[in-house]
Amino acid sequence: MKTTITFAIICFAFIVSAIGQEKYTTKTGQIDFEASVPSFEEVKAANSNVSAVLDASTGKFAALALMKGFRFKVALMEEHFNENYIESSKYPKATFKGIIQDFDISEISGKSDYSIKGTFNMHGTDKEMEVPAVISVNGDTVMLTAQFVMQPEDFNIKIPSIVSNKIAEDVNVFAEFSLQKQ
């Protein structure tokens, strides 16, 4: 009897916590970055297998990118990125967890500007960030795009002096997520 009551309480708690939650997810988000310097070879990569989740009832947003998922035009550049800079074997992923400020999905019409405050983790280092985002809703799809700038030194990523003049100090990042209602 105790087991049945305990099970019923756990089920009720699960159901109550699920009511009102509007989860939107994707496994095909896109993150592009560019750290090119004029007169040198383009330093640019894209990852189109980024996972993300949005809890529309709370505004909580999280994204995860596998570092080996970034693709460069030049294979050697991709190898150096993974082995020498990002150290993908040691730090295989980058994550962002935050809350969209003043988010209310019912108030979105057209494209709306928001700010996401959260923690970015890359290369084993956390950095608090505030990322501007544009969000729109179309039926059961939430589109979220963001553009921001990062610096490798903020994440303890060392750029050897021999190539430092070929890589920009500011890395421009563009993220795009088409999140589907679950």
Side-chain angles (χ1 to χ4, degrees):
M1 181 68 171
K2 266 186 171 179
T3 309
T4 306
I5 293 172
T6 303
F7 179 73
I9 291 171
I10 290 171
C11 287
F12 179 74
F14 177 75
I15 291 168
V16 168
S17 69
I19 294 174
Q21 287 188 355
E22 294 182 55
K23 300 266 188 200
Y24 294 80
T25 64
T26 186
K27 292 182 181 177
T28 57
Q30 174 88 22
I31 296 179
D32 301 328
F33 73 81
E34 184 167 10
S36 300
V37 174
S39 302
F40 288 102
E41 192 166 14
E42 181 180 65
V43 179
K44 187 175 183 180
N47 186 337
S48 59
N49 294 306
V50 181
S51 297
V53 63
L54 167 65
D55 183 339
S57 63
T58 63
K60 290 182 181 178
F61 176 79
L64 178 139
L66 296 177
M67 300 313 291
K68 287 188 177 180
F70 283 96
R71 298 292 173 245
F72 293 75
K73 287 182 182 176
V74 178
L76 185 60
M77 197 176 289
E78 189 171 314
E79 182 181 323
H80 287 182
F81 171 80
N82 283 300
E83 292 178 10
N84 302 335
Y85 306 124
I86 293 297
E87 300 174 276
S88 296
S89 297
K90 188 174 181 182
Y91 307 107
K93 61 187 176 183
T95 61
F96 179 82
K97 295 177 186 174
I99 297 178
I100 304 169
Q101 302 300 293
D102 303 318
F103 183 74
D104 185 343
I105 196 164
S106 67
E107 293 181 4
I108 297 176
S109 63
K111 293 181 178 181
S112 300
D113 294 326
Y114 286 94
S115 178
I116 308 173
K117 286 187 180 180
T119 304
F120 197 90
N121 178 280
M122 184 170 61
H123 200 250
T125 303
D126 286 339
K127 179 172 173 39
E128 296 298 314
M129 296 181 72
E130 187 166 344
V131 176
V134 176
I135 300 173
S136 62
V137 178
N138 185 3
D140 287 343
T141 303
V142 172
M143 286 297 300
L144 186 150
T145 59
Q147 285 185 275
F148 54 97
V149 175
M150 300 173 68
Q151 288 79 32
E153 64 268 9
D154 288 344
F155 298 94
N156 295 317
I157 297 170
K158 308 285 188 249
I159 307 297
S161 59
I162 195 164
V163 294
S164 64
N165 63 333
K166 297 177 182 179
I167 299 172
E169 290 180 23
D170 290 337
V171 178
N172 295 306
V173 180
F174 176 77
E176 182 174 61
F177 301 98
S178 178
L179 301 132
Q180 302 298 312
K181 189 172 186 177
Q182 297 302 303

